[in-house]
Amino acid sequence: MSTGAAQADSATNGLARRPFAWTFTTPLYVGSSLNPINSSIIATALVPIAAELHVSVGATAVLVSSLYLASAVAQPTAGKLAEVLGPRRIFLYGVVLVLLGGLVGGLGQNLAMLTVARVLVGIGTSAAFPCAMVLIRRRAEEAGLDAPPGGVLGGIAIAGMATAAVGPPIGGLLVGAAGWRWAFLINIPVTAIATAMALRWLPKDPVPDHGHSGFRKVADRIDLPGILGFAGSMTALVIFLMSLPHVEWIALVVFVLAAVPTVMWELRKTSPFFDFRGLAANGALARTYLRQALTLLGVYSVMYGMTQWMEAAHGFSTVGAGLLLLPMGAVSALLSRPLARRNLVRGPLIASAVTMLLGSVGIMLLTSHSPAIAIVLVSLIFGITSASTTVGNQTALYLAAPPDQIGTASGLFRTFGYLGTITSAVIGSIVFRDGVSDHGLHTLGIVLVAAGLAVLLLTALDRRLMNRDPNRQADTPDTSQNPKSPHQGESSVSTPTHPTITPERTALLAMDFQNGIVPLAPDADALVERVKGAIADVRAAGGTIGYVRVAFTENDWAAVPETNKAFTAVAAGKMLHHEDTATQIDERIAPEHGDIVVRKIRFGSASTTDLHQQLTDRGIDTLVLAGISTSGVVLSTLMDAADRDYRVYVLSDGIADPDPRTHQVLVDNVFPSRAHVIDTPGLRGLLGSA
């Protein structure tokens, strides 16, 4: 073995043993904490800023809203850029913007400069989370992990939601000790550390293909018109929400005028920035977004609404109010990682809804004479809410989002969270419009009870979640650091977690089920019946069916070169003529109108046909393979489809080979590294949960 090959093999083995070493995860955790900390740390600096700049406290609210607005737009945009241009590259660009924002804010002399600084910080910090999810997903696939890396997602959860909860107390201490400018300047040392770690430890992105690196090429790949339309729509929507209870009609009109053409554009795009069709078909992902928005409405109502109440109605100082909420962040941090390690989804989400209800009832019982311990108790309950919702929804996101869209999906996940956060501020301004009082706090509690009930219903009635936890694959330290290699006999048929199937973007390929080949398969009749059932399931779900048959014309025989070992004999024997009965598709699974049907003259389904183009024209990015034989058409098609970046499923009971040993070796040892191996009942389950 050459030195280069040995080094490559060593690197591969090292990745398999420790795919998520601390050197890989630490910069992701640090980067992911920047946005939530900056979102909340400013709360304790607003009053000192107003006093020094001689503006009203109300005017400083723009420093909160500007970061939320920038983040709501930038999160999915950064995710899309990470998918196209590379996550490490976008991560570093974002860190530089945060550094610049820290400098501008720390040196700012007026409210306009501070607002610019907050926008820079909002855009820059928005890159970290979606980039982290792209890097984690790619690393998991490289290591052969189908189940979510729970321990790593738990770390991201702590860096995300838990750090937001400790932002106010940290801000109170920092501003009290060093002044409000340190709410900005703190970003400078943190970003310097994050930059050094990212450059040193994060894997480099592939060198951009010069054929796809021009501005027009990149703009088309990221769907720049879609991003701009989304940005305009989201900006108008956020301005409208933040103007409530006063109705900002201009913002509402701008939202409609921007949103309608944007939706029409995205529906026509083959690879849109905001995949409305995919989201409509992917119910699990849509429900995850909605749960996140509703639950964060509750968590941030406590962080901001109760903070105002404690200071204005109960008489606590800024530092004291921050310290009373510290238990929420501490509990969230302590619970996030243990919960995430087990890859639980439904359990944490049920706990999130129940504790949100309990905490909301607790808010309704508080008064300005309540002891501090009662406030701490409510804070502790919402700490459980914070941890369980972040872990449950983040794992649900990882499982439901298409792997090639995990960056954009993660950004939208955060955007929906921001919508919940912004709505919490709107609700707070409404309930306290006549002054901060116990009555306003109790009204806030009633609103949160309603939101908690909605979250509970969204979780308890979700069929997909009902089947998730019992079949989970726990991410213990052993499995996360030492995943079984597909070459060591691991069969992914037993792997319980697979990415969600979106039927409208999925095609089942029935390959070489023709009269002259079907009889060669073991137990052929039962095989055909299973594939017939799978075809019916995909049709019923709205998916596409494709048929591939191998057959030759006279010209095809003449064109087979003597170098082709397998098909020289076919040509010489004038076998598999395209009009022969032997090359016609088995009538039990005959094609219907609208199905794809192609004729091939080699093993693979795409190399000698226009199958790939037909699939692309229909927006198909997921293939389910059934065929005869496992070592022929299935193997060749799988390899080609994986190289073309399709998401591939292989039906273990929908394929067969004349040699059972070869079939089993391929299914157990080869296919799992490139495809998700499931059976026909598993396919039915994935289609039913979409």
Side-chain angles (χ1 to χ4, degrees):
M1 179 182 293
S2 68
T3 302
Q7 289 175 342
D9 186 62
S10 176
T12 302
N13 291 335
L15 175 61
R17 289 193 300 270
R18 293 184 57 80
F20 297 107
W22 68 270
T23 51
F24 175 81
T25 57
T26 302
L28 304 184
Y29 297 159
V30 173
S32 297
S33 69
L34 290 174
N35 189 272
I37 286 182
N38 275 281
S39 298
S40 56
I41 201 171
I42 196 70
T44 56
L46 297 180
V47 173
I49 289 173
E52 182 168 331
L53 299 183
H54 306 293
V55 297
S56 67
V57 175
T60 62
V62 69
L63 300 180
V64 177
S65 60
S66 59
L67 184 136
Y68 284 148
L69 176 56
S71 300
V73 172
Q75 290 269 358
T77 303
K80 185 68 173 182
L81 290 170
E83 294 165 1
V84 173
L85 301 179
R88 181 179 184 263
R89 188 174 293 113
I90 300 303
F91 182 95
L92 288 169
Y93 289 161
V95 170
V96 171
L97 285 177
V98 179
L99 174 62
L100 183 59
L103 286 171
V104 173
L107 301 175
Q109 299 300 314
N110 53 56
L111 194 59
M113 287 185 67
L114 298 188
T115 303
V116 170
R118 291 286 287 177
V119 170
L120 289 172
V121 170
I123 296 174
T125 57
S126 295
F129 177 70
C131 288
M133 292 297 282
V134 173
L135 285 163
I136 291 168
R137 187 76 195 222
R138 291 181 180 178
R139 179 59 64 96
E141 291 177 350
E142 290 170 1
L145 292 174
D146 280 328
V152 182
L153 294 181
I156 294 291
I158 294 172
M161 192 63 227
T163 52
V166 301
I170 291 176
L173 295 173
L174 193 63
V175 172
W180 63 265
R181 292 186 183 278
W182 275 94
F184 294 90
L185 293 174
I186 188 62
N187 286 297
I188 296 175
V190 176
T191 53
I193 294 171
T195 301
M197 290 190 297
L199 289 172
R200 175 70 175 172
W201 293 330
L202 291 184
K204 292 183 179 181
D205 298 321
V207 178
D209 184 352
H210 292 295
H212 296 86
S213 59
F215 176 78
R216 290 186 178 180
K217 294 284 188 180
V218 173
D220 181 65
R221 292 172 67 196
I222 66 175
D223 184 19
L224 183 59
I227 290 176
L228 295 176
F230 174 81
S233 305
M234 187 58 61
T235 300
L237 177 61
V238 170
I239 291 174
F240 171 75
L241 289 175
M242 299 195 73
S243 70
L244 296 174
H246 170 73
V247 178
E248 187 66 58
W249 291 108
I250 295 178
L252 183 59
V253 170
V254 171
F255 168 71
V256 173
L257 292 177
V260 171
T262 299
V263 171
M264 294 175 64
W265 169 266
E266 297 294 76
L267 290 175
R268 290 198 303 266
K269 282 284 290 182
T270 303
S271 300
F273 167 70
F274 196 123
D275 190 354
F276 288 99
R277 295 185 191 277
L279 187 60
N282 193 341
L285 187 59
R287 291 187 292 272
T288 298
Y289 289 156
L290 189 56
R291 281 193 304 267
Q292 182 74 355
L294 288 171
T295 312
L296 289 195
L297 183 153
V299 172
Y300 275 89
S301 291
V302 173
M303 288 175 60
Y304 291 136
M306 278 190 61
T307 299
Q308 294 180 55
W309 173 79
M310 284 188 285
E311 294 180 12
H314 208 298
F316 287 103
S317 66
T318 299
V319 175
L323 290 175
L324 286 176
L325 290 181
L326 187 60
M328 182 165 71
V331 169
S332 182
L334 289 173
L335 291 180
S336 293
R337 190 153 189 150
L339 285 174
R341 280 191 178 279
R342 301 186 64 192
N343 281 341
L344 297 170
V345 177
R346 189 169 187 264
L349 292 178
I350 291 289
S352 171
V354 171
T355 54
M356 183 174 173
L357 285 170
L358 291 175
S360 301
V361 171
I363 289 175
M364 295 169 59
L365 299 177
L366 291 175
T367 70
S368 55
H369 302 292
S370 297
I373 188 64
I375 300 173
V376 170
L377 181 60
V378 172
S379 173
L380 287 170
I381 293 173
F382 272 96
I384 299 173
T385 305
S386 173
S388 53
T389 193
T390 304
V391 167
N393 283 322
Q394 193 168 266
T395 304
L397 167 73
Y398 186 95
L399 293 168
D404 59 333
Q405 298 177 20
I406 187 66
T408 306
S410 299
L412 288 171
F413 178 74
R414 283 289 180 91
T415 295
F416 275 83
Y418 276 115
L419 290 177
T421 302
I422 291 168
T423 304
S424 74
V426 172
I427 293 172
S429 66
I430 293 174
V431 300
F432 293 143
R433 64 184 179 276
D434 296 325
V436 181
S437 63
D438 290 349
H439 175 72
L441 182 69
H442 297 160
T443 303
L444 178 64
I446 293 172
V447 173
L448 297 188
V449 166
L453 285 172
V455 174
L456 184 60
L457 290 174
L458 277 171
T459 305
L461 301 180
D462 193 327
R463 292 183 303 161
R464 180 179 177 83
L465 296 181
M466 291 178 185
N467 297 324
R468 174 64 62 191
D469 290 350
N471 297 322
R472 70 184 183 273
Q473 177 174 327
D475 179 13
T476 63
D478 287 342
T479 59
S480 66
Q481 299 300 331
N482 296 288
K484 287 176 68 179
S485 166
H487 299 287
Q488 295 174 335
E490 180 186 33
S491 172
S492 71
V493 177
S494 62
T495 300
T497 54
H498 298 285
T500 301
I501 285 181
T502 302
E504 288 78 5
R505 292 161 57 183
T506 299
L508 186 153
L509 299 184
M511 304 176 294
D512 291 3
F513 282 95
Q514 53 199 71
N515 297 324
I517 295 179
V518 168
L520 302 177
D523 201 6
D525 290 340
L527 171 66
V528 172
E529 287 303 312
R530 289 192 295 268
V531 173
K532 181 179 179 180
I535 290 173
D537 291 337
V538 174
R539 285 195 199 281
T544 296
I545 306 299
Y547 292 86
V548 181
R549 68 187 186 107
V550 55
F552 293 76
T553 65
E554 288 79 358
N555 290 336
D556 294 331
W557 284 327
V560 175
E562 63 180 14
T563 53
N564 190 314
K565 181 177 180 180
F567 287 96
T568 300
V570 174
K574 306 297 183 184
M575 295 184 286
L576 298 173
H577 190 273
H578 68 103
E579 294 179 347
D580 286 349
T581 301
T583 62
Q584 308 309 306
I585 297 170
D586 191 303
E587 63 180 9
R588 290 172 290 181
I589 54 170
E592 297 182 3
H593 178 72
D595 292 342
I596 295 174
V597 181
V598 296
R599 180 180 64 85
K600 66 186 177 75
I601 55 175
R602 294 295 186 271
F603 283 114
S605 298
S607 62
T608 58
T609 72
D610 66 344
L611 176 63
H612 174 63
Q613 186 59 53
Q614 291 197 54
L615 294 172
T616 301
D617 291 344
R618 299 191 185 202
I620 302 297
D621 62 9
T622 300
L623 300 180
V624 180
L625 304 185
I628 310 169
S629 65
T630 309
S631 60
V633 65
V634 178
L635 175 62
S636 296
T637 302
L638 187 157
M639 295 300 185
D640 180 76
D643 286 346
R644 295 178 190 265
D645 299 325
Y646 285 97
R647 183 182 303 110
V648 184
Y649 292 81
V650 177
L651 294 178
S652 60
D653 58 350
I655 60 176
D657 196 278
D659 184 345
R661 288 183 59 190
T662 299
H663 168 86
Q664 205 61 45
V665 168
L666 289 171
V667 171
D668 289 347
N669 298 82
V670 178
F671 290 175
S673 66
R674 294 167 176 82
H676 304 280
V677 183
I678 59 175
D679 54 15
T680 48
L683 173 64
R684 188 175 302 115
L686 288 173
L687 292 168
S689 64

